[in-house]
Amino acid sequence: MERLMADQLQVLYKLMTLYTLSRVDFAMTNKQIAGIFTDLGYTNYFNAQYTISDLVDAGLIHEEACPDCFYYSLTDAGRASLDALKNDLGPDIRSDIDAYLKKNRLSFREAVSTRAQYYRTTSGDYAAACAVLEHSEPLMELTLTVPTEQQAKMITKQWKEKSPEIYSYLFRTLSDFTGEES
């Protein structure tokens, strides 16, 4: 009996995760997803992580690894599974998730709208690859090659804070048309 209830809870957590990812137009971090369920009191962090891992293994959500976290989005198979089983997720749970997402949507979007990672190049330098995203699509991608790992780390660390002003500056500078054709 206990095993049956545990299995039913796992199915519920999976449906909740699929539903959550279906309600946003951007990839979410594992911390964001787990935070929803722990903040709402549905489960603990470890159950949420186990659920996410199961969904990745089943091909129902896509996992993208970055140096500081993982990003998750719904796959077509995940969407189809959710569509088939959506009625198994009660209206109160859907309402709780929707309200939580509505309240926190801006902070969620801001947290995943910039990405930065660094890697060693074939020439032995380091490249800091930085991006500004909207709806998981790049608005701007910038790669800076620097001689040391410390510089690459610093660039990726500061990208989240500085990217809005860098994007704004580049956009203004590069789109400053004087009306003259070249």
Side-chain angles (χ1 to χ4, degrees), residues 26 36 39 99-109:
F26 50 88
I36 292 170
D39 288 354
Y100 191 94
L101 289 172
K102 184 177 181 181
K103 178 181 174 187
N104 295 285
R105 182 172 299 275
L106 186 58
S107 66
F108 282 168
R109 184 183 299 276

Side-chain angles (χ1 to χ4, degrees), residues 3-49:
R3 183 70 190 150
L4 178 62
M5 287 185 61
D7 289 345
Q8 289 174 331
L9 279 175
Q10 281 303 314
V11 170
L12 179 63
Y13 299 152
K14 289 175 184 178
L15 284 173
M16 291 168 59
T17 304
L18 294 174
Y19 181 78
T20 298
L21 290 172
S22 77
R23 304 299 289 168
V24 296
D25 57 358
F26 50 88
M28 295 181 75
T29 66
N30 53 350
K31 183 178 177 182
Q32 290 172 327
I33 296 167
I36 292 170
F37 304 133
T38 58
D39 288 354
L40 291 174
Y42 284 112
T43 191
N44 62 42
Y45 178 82
F46 298 107
N47 283 337
Q49 294 304 312

Side-chain angles (χ1 to χ4, degrees), residues 85-120:
L85 300 169
K86 195 175 200 174
N87 291 334
D88 292 349
L89 189 61
D92 290 343
I93 294 173
R94 287 193 303 252
S95 178
D96 285 349
I97 293 170
D98 288 341
Y100 191 94
L101 289 172
K102 184 177 181 181
K103 178 181 174 187
N104 295 285
R105 182 172 299 275
L106 186 58
S107 66
F108 282 168
R109 184 183 299 276
E110 286 175 359
V112 298
S113 67
T114 58
R115 295 195 188 162
Q117 60 186 12
Y118 72 90
Y119 55 91
R120 190 162 193 142

Side-chain angles (χ1 to χ4, degrees), residues 74-91:
L74 199 57
T75 64
D76 290 339
R79 190 169 308 282
S81 294
L82 178 62
D83 289 344
L85 300 169
K86 195 175 200 174
N87 291 334
D88 292 349
L89 189 61

Side-chain angles (χ1 to χ4, degrees), residues 94-155:
R94 287 193 303 252
S95 178
D96 285 349
I97 293 170
D98 288 341
Y100 191 94
L101 289 172
K102 184 177 181 181
K103 178 181 174 187
N104 295 285
R105 182 172 299 275
L106 186 58
S107 66
F108 282 168
R109 184 183 299 276
E110 286 175 359
V112 298
S113 67
T114 58
R115 295 195 188 162
Q117 60 186 12
Y118 72 90
Y119 55 91
R120 190 162 193 142
T121 67
T122 55
S123 66
D125 290 330
Y126 290 85
C130 307
V132 175
L133 307 170
E134 184 171 297
H135 307 292
S136 300
E137 294 294 323
L139 289 176
M140 177 179 73
E141 295 176 309
L142 176 67
T143 301
L144 298 170
T145 304
V146 293
T148 69
E149 183 177 15
Q150 183 180 8
Q151 289 172 317
K153 279 183 183 179
M154 185 57 68
I155 290 167

Side-chain angles (χ1 to χ4, degrees), residues 60-84:
L60 300 178
I61 62 175
H62 172 73
E63 177 182 72
E64 182 183 344
C66 288
D68 57 343
C69 64
F70 291 91
Y71 292 91
Y72 298 93
S73 56
L74 199 57
T75 64
D76 290 339
R79 190 169 308 282
S81 294
L82 178 62
D83 289 344

